[in-house]
Amino acid sequence: MFRTDGNIIYFNGEQKGGVTGDTLKVLAALHGIVKKQGYEDVTLDFSHAGFIQPSFLVPLATVCRAYRKEKIDFDLVMPAEAKTAALMSNANWAHLISPEKYVARDEFNKHHLSALQFMSAEEHHAAVDRCVALLLQTLVGIDRKRIKALEWALNEITDNVLNHAESHVGGVVQVVNNARHHCVELHVCDAGITIPRSLRTGRPDLTDDTSALRAAIEEGVTKNTKTNQGNGLFGTFKCCEVSGGEFEVMSGRSGLIFRPGDLRVLQNAIPFPGTYVRASIKYDYERLLEDALVFKGRVHDPQFDYVERTYFGENEEIEFAVAKELNAFGSREAGRVARTKIENLMDRGKARIAFDFEDIHLISSSFADEVFGKLFAQLGPVKFNDLCRFRNVDSTVRGLIDRAIMQRLSLSA
């Protein structure tokens, strides 16, 4: 998968599905280049990379950020294959590794979340909110409870970075939606003191790294029961387990791998200088919140979640400012994204929604049909009129919406 020559690491992913696999071996080679050979500049050559997985690049980029704190410079040779090069850039991996050469792409991606670094509580909350906002517009057929469970899991494992890791580069988070398998992957990484080391500050009985990491995913296990509940990793692991997903942790010399029906904790010969978590959660599992977030025998229903904080007004209805929430109004594809977000906010037709069209003076007929025509057909006339209200609608826009609804009504007649 890779080879080294002086201060250059060459990645070859043209065979067997691209650049995936054992990040630890690459980190060991990087350690040798910097710590043993004494190089202060490193080149990562991905010119022959066929495909790159977040599970490989998120931990690698995080470790590169840590080396940068030690004044180690990184240059990046982009993949020759255009799609892989675009992924490297759009996922923000190129910027995290070599920010002088590659600009941040996190504001460019509307349907996929770039990898984000967070250093403070404010940056952490902003990153989690951006993740949830992305999930609202990309996950088809999900309800409010499952969105809450995903938000809770993401918030917990990212919050661990700030509360426990003591990472001098904060953390890196990336969320990936695998729509074909109805699966959300949460990738979170830091360059801190590792889970076993942190946990042993309050649990000296956990004498070895593997037993400490195994204990970390059990209910109520924490280094300080007076300030922490110890359910963050446990609840996130349960989200993966009950939904039929996967869960992985690399932390120091220990690793944990869960596949449905199989949990393994191992000792790694090569240490990971921090903690990396990959939580793969199947969001088509209907009872995700009720079966995963159960603490002390009681279901935990998180309150004041992103949807409540962001959208609910005084009238207990969703306040949907169209110009703010959407950025395209001219195609059916833009309409599909909009309708997914609207349906998720309406929680399968349970919540009222007020559409505010201020500053919107034109939409396409295909957009109007994809959003409001199909929403009308799905809810039916009575429920649509009961749940949907319109404010500040331009007469032209209103005409296009009414026309889309009338055409859908005529099709059902």
Side-chain angles (χ1 to χ4, degrees), residues 322-323 329 356-364 367 391-401:
V322 179
F329 311 93
D356 190 336
F357 276 83
E358 187 174 3
D359 296 327
I360 302 296
H361 303 293
L362 185 64
I363 61 176
S364 70
F367 180 91
R391 301 172 183 160
N392 303 315
V393 189
D394 182 283
S395 59
T396 301
V397 173
R398 186 74 206 215
L400 289 165
I401 293 174

Side-chain angles (χ1 to χ4, degrees), residues 236-282:
T236 304
F237 166 70
K238 294 300 289 186
C239 284
C240 301
E241 182 184 41
V242 303
S243 68
E246 300 176 352
F247 188 69
E248 295 181 17
V249 182
M250 290 191 298
S251 192
R253 289 193 175 275
S254 57
L256 183 148
I257 301 174
F258 170 78
R259 301 290 183 268
D262 182 28
L263 174 64
R264 300 181 185 183
V265 185
L266 11 125
Q267 178 126 0
N268 294 320
I270 302 170
F272 183 78
T275 297
Y276 167 67
V277 176
R278 181 182 79 93
S280 174
I281 303 171
K282 295 288 192 71

Side-chain angles (χ1 to χ4, degrees), residues 89-93 95-96 102-117 127 130 134 173:
S89 176
N90 291 336
N92 230 22
W93 301 327
H95 171 72
L96 290 175
Y102 299 97
V103 299
R105 301 288 296 182
D106 45 293
E107 294 296 335
F108 290 80
N109 294 325
K110 303 301 180 183
H111 307 309
H112 304 281
L113 186 76
S114 303
L116 302 174
Q117 184 179 18
R130 288 190 61 182
L134 173 75
V173 58

Side-chain angles (χ1 to χ4, degrees), residues 202-203 219-230 296:
R203 289 287 307 274
E219 183 178 2
V221 174
T222 179
K223 65 181 181 181
N224 190 340
T225 56
K226 294 180 179 179
T227 58
N228 306 305
Q229 293 183 331
K296 296 182 179 179

Side-chain angles (χ1 to χ4, degrees), residues 139-165:
L139 304 188
V140 177
I142 197 167
D143 58 18
R144 175 90 176 276
K145 284 188 175 181
R146 279 177 281 172
I147 286 284
K148 279 186 175 185
L150 292 171
E151 179 184 354
W152 183 92
L154 181 62
N155 192 67
E156 287 292 324
I157 56 176
T158 49
D159 187 62
N160 282 345
V161 172
L162 299 181
N163 283 334
H164 303 295

